[in-house]
Amino acid sequence: MGRIFVVELEGRSYRCKFCKTHLAVPEDLVSRAFHCRRGKAYLFNNVVNITVGTLEERIMLSGMHTVGDIFCCCCGQIVGWKYEAAHEKSQKYKEGKFVLERGRIVDEIDFSSDVYIDTRPSVSDAED
């Protein structure tokens, strides 16, 4: 087994809920109007630090698609799926794109509360 190299994304990012590994940036977000069995999901142009599982044919709300589940490369949790092929012409725009399930990711803003922010008025050294 080889060593896992993890891509660190610059700026705000969406991360794995389970291990906080970087997965995607807001600039690659295509749509927030997707749904999965567990609730809301987001469509992305690009996702990093994932592995793609076995491809299979699935009937979804929008028709038949060839998809592969995607897993976080660090903790192995399923985080969504990748569209390999769409069988209906109107769904071809999904090909090559990734869906991250909202319940399995966190927005970097979601867990930034760990950071302490001093809200008291500051005093400069010149005022001593």
Side-chain angles (χ1 to χ4, degrees):
M1 181 140 175
R3 184 175 178 178
I4 296 173
F5 289 95
V6 177
V7 176
E8 294 286 327
L9 299 172
E10 296 275 330
R12 182 176 157 211
S13 64
Y14 293 94
R15 298 181 183 210
C16 173
K17 176 182 179 178
F18 307 98
C19 68
K20 306 298 189 271
T21 298
H22 294 237
L23 296 174
V25 292
E27 293 78 21
D28 283 326
L29 181 62
V30 176
S31 174
R32 292 182 180 177
F34 277 68
H35 290 85
C36 62
R37 282 178 263 161
R38 296 178 197 94
K40 293 181 179 182
Y42 296 167
L43 182 69
F44 287 88
N45 281 321
N46 191 36
V47 174
V48 296
N49 299 323
I50 53 107
T51 56
V52 180
T54 306
L55 298 181
E56 60 183 43
E57 301 292 320
R58 275 192 207 153
I59 298 175
M60 301 181 146
L61 293 174
S62 57
M64 181 69 80
H65 298 278
T66 304
V67 299
D69 288 331
I70 56 176
F71 303 87
C72 174
C73 71
C74 290
C75 69
Q77 288 286 331
I78 186 168
V79 291
W81 66 89
K82 179 181 181 185
Y83 286 106
E84 285 294 330
H87 298 275
E88 294 184 26
K89 196 176 205 179
S90 66
Q91 301 299 308
K92 293 287 185 183
Y93 75 96
K94 295 177 183 175
E95 292 182 342
K97 292 185 173 49
F98 303 85
V99 172
L100 294 177
E101 296 180 21
R102 187 66 185 110
R104 297 183 169 269
I105 61 171
V106 291
D107 188 329
E108 196 164 37
I109 293 171
D110 293 344
F111 61 92
S112 62
S113 60
D114 295 346
V115 178
Y116 173 72
I117 300 173
D118 187 359
T119 58
R120 295 175 291 164
S122 63
V123 178
S124 69
D125 291 335
E127 295 176 350
D128 286 341

